[in-house]
Amino acid sequence: MTDKPLHHHAEGSATAPPLLLGPSLGTSYALWDKVAPELSLTHRVIRWDLPGHGGSAPDLIGPGATVADLADLVLALADSLGVDRFAYAGVSLGGAVGLHLAVHHPERVSSLAVICSSAHFNGSKPWEERAALVRRDGLAPVAATADARWFTAPFTVPRLVQDHRDADPAAYAACCDALAAFDIRDRLSSIAVPTLLIAGREDPATPPAHLREIADAVPGSALVEIPGASHLAPAQCPEAVLTALRAHFGSGARRGMEVRREVLGDAHVDRAQARQTPFTARFQDFISRYAWGEIWTDPTLSRRERSMITLTALVAHGHHDELAMHVRAARRNGLTPQEIGAVLLQTAVYCGVPAANSAFAVAQRVLAEEDTAGG
């Protein structure tokens, strides 16, 4: 082992929820070329290369390597990027890394997608034989069969096949050692993070039955089977994979919408949704995902406390339309008119009397409307 990080590529906003994407044996992070840019609209996407693949150094692992070793490298990469908790999706060996992380490091994984992978890879013998072949003859014999193992004919991705040829034989063989030793079936029931399984109907390496086995064992998991897809589904059927991943990893936006409705009320949110256009759709998703799905769901502060902070910030910046909305929200969050008044009086000291004067006028109007509606 060395202290060099895995080679990786990051895209998307640095403030978006992080999503790590793991590759299949023999490929680089180019496996995700048709999927990652779209996912980066809502996530900070970090794609990584296996040791000896793509740009990652081959000496990151050695003979007798395990999936646990690869998982440790992924955690070290996340640490180096300042990423504490992340969503994760991985293909084949990358999927096995995800399963290991969810079992052994659940505090680091917020949600998981396992694609064309398995909780075991048909015993150790085939992988021991492949490792011996590669150590003896290099990667040419194995790369020659890549298309048949990865895709349904006549589909191919020359870049990925070339990645296979260019991988470091010793590191590739060490990854085979990891697959040979991997069997996590007896721990699947302990996985508690939201889990999605994606199977390629035509996958000869990890047939759908392997993904069904995981789905049956992981509580609350979901399974999607993609017709016509073989082992590298993100490359062959990117739209289908993207649709499934968006639905799975979009849970923050869904939870955010729930909280948004609880705090602001259905009527307000319905009006905002009705005004949404293709031009504003990404902004509305950002609000639901980040403001409501990340900040307002953080249990460190109560909703009452968040309302008081929000009122103060809106007064300071003179956002009177938003202030009216959040006076109503404050009442929904349990603040009394007297408490709202105390917050606004505090703003007179720290934001200025004119700002507080305008804020009192807005709040008085909203509270009077509330009294009228209640009466």
Side-chain angles (χ1 to χ4, degrees), residues 310-321:
T310 302
L311 291 175
T312 303
L314 294 173
V315 172
H317 287 276
H319 299 311
H320 295 148
D321 289 341

Side-chain angles (χ1 to χ4, degrees), residues 96-119:
V97 169
L99 288 170
H100 180 93
L101 289 170
V103 167
H104 295 283
H105 302 278
E107 75 285 353
R108 301 297 299 269
V109 182
S110 59
S111 55
L112 171 68
V114 177
I115 304 169
C116 299
S117 188
S118 184

Side-chain angles (χ1 to χ4, degrees), residues 257 260-261 264-277 280 284 287 325:
M257 183 60 75
R260 191 178 177 188
R261 288 183 177 279
L264 300 181
D266 288 333
H268 172 83
V269 176
D270 287 343
R271 286 193 299 271
Q273 293 293 96
R275 292 193 300 268
Q276 179 174 298
T277 68
T280 64
Q284 290 295 319
I287 293 171
M325 177 179 74

